[in-house]
Amino acid sequence: MLQKFYPDRYLRSAYEIDYGRYYEEGYRGIIFDIDNTLVPHGAPADERSIALIENLKGLGFGIMLLSNNKEPRVKMFNDAVKVSYIFKAGKPARRGYEEAMRRLGTDRGNTLFVGDQLFTDVWGARSAGILSLLVQPIDKKEEIQIVLKRYLEKIVLFFYKRNLKRQEKRGEGQKG
């Protein structure tokens, strides 16, 4: 039952992902969450996030921001990175992910998602059939509703990591 919340990959940071490898594997679209994935919650785009997005564009990726935030927050971030975005996306509902792929001109087989939350980002990406990359939150300071969800995430991540160890013993690895 918990497997629907398991990411395809669990990584330390969105800034440590080997995006070039994913491009070589045929991925052409990346959908990003913003808060605590690319910058601390509520922060504007910084030099690191701008450089990452520019690098990904240079590789040939289409980039989409998918956020449950209201437009002023998402637009403030996007004014610096200049990609497409969907605000008030309703994650984990599939429709936002599907609309993002439609706008990117990609599909389930060549799109990946990067986010920091299991119950919105990963669950939504998985239900949409997209490769899901979970990253650790950038900042510990979060809104109370997210702090509460983090306690539940710890339980899911415990079982996820235990499952990974079992797979490694059998010679299987993480997908993606």
Side-chain angles (χ1 to χ4, degrees), residues 73-84:
R73 179 349 184 202
V74 180
K75 184 179 181 315
M76 174 187 65
F77 182 89
N78 191 58
D79 283 347
V81 297
K82 297 174 179 52
V83 295
S84 296

Side-chain angles (χ1 to χ4, degrees), residues 41-52:
H41 186 81
D46 56 15
E47 288 180 21
R48 185 168 74 154
S49 59
I50 294 167
L52 173 66

